[in-house]
Amino acid sequence: MAPEADGGQDPSAELLTQAATAFGLLASPSRVHIVWALSQGECDVTHLAERVGGTLPAVSQHLAKLKLAGLVRSRREGRRQVYLVDDPAVVTVVHEMVRQLALGRGAPANGLRSHEYGA
């Protein structure tokens, strides 16, 4: 996704839709954890499932959705599929969000968390 930052103009509807789709895919803690893990190096589904604490079918399903969206890709290595991040910009967003939250800058000033807003 290339930003359309022309003198403060709003992004196109298509670009906003793409951004919302990417954020929607990252609205799952498991998917954020998968992207985080893959940002540190490629991995197969078995090791990803162990790392993120998910079942093989669940992690495979998350990977399929991330792959369909172009956020991750896979390659064959012998008999196994190895997954890696295909969109470095998404890694940047995930790392920055986690960093901001860890520093306490991601919470609203009134202390309410996103789940209290129904997000």
Side-chain angles (χ1 to χ4, degrees):
M1 272 186 287
E4 292 181 4
D6 296 330
Q9 290 184 356
D10 288 345
S12 69
E14 179 182 345
L15 189 59
L16 291 170
T17 299
Q18 290 173 348
T21 300
F23 281 121
L25 283 166
L26 293 173
S28 159
S30 294
R31 289 191 202 126
V32 172
H33 199 172
I34 289 168
V35 170
W36 181 275
L38 291 176
S39 75
Q40 296 172 1
E42 51 190 46
C43 197
D44 67 15
V45 68
T46 302
H47 290 101
L48 274 173
E50 290 171 6
R51 182 161 178 186
V52 304
T55 65
L56 283 174
V59 172
S60 291
Q61 194 171 36
H62 287 306
L63 285 166
K65 289 179 182 180
L66 292 168
K67 189 175 176 181
L68 188 63
L71 302 182
V72 302
R73 63 184 169 96
S74 65
R75 63 177 178 77
R76 178 135 327 260
E77 188 176 274
R79 295 174 58 192
R80 59 189 195 129
Q81 290 279 83
V82 177
Y83 292 87
L84 55 148
V85 173
D86 200 31
D87 189 345
V90 170
V91 171
T92 301
V93 169
V94 168
H95 279 233
E96 185 59 22
M97 177 58 78
V98 170
R99 187 178 77 79
Q100 290 295 321
L101 290 169
L103 293 172
R105 296 185 191 149
N110 63 5
L112 294 176
R113 300 283 181 199
S114 60
H115 68 275
E116 293 171 305
Y117 293 109

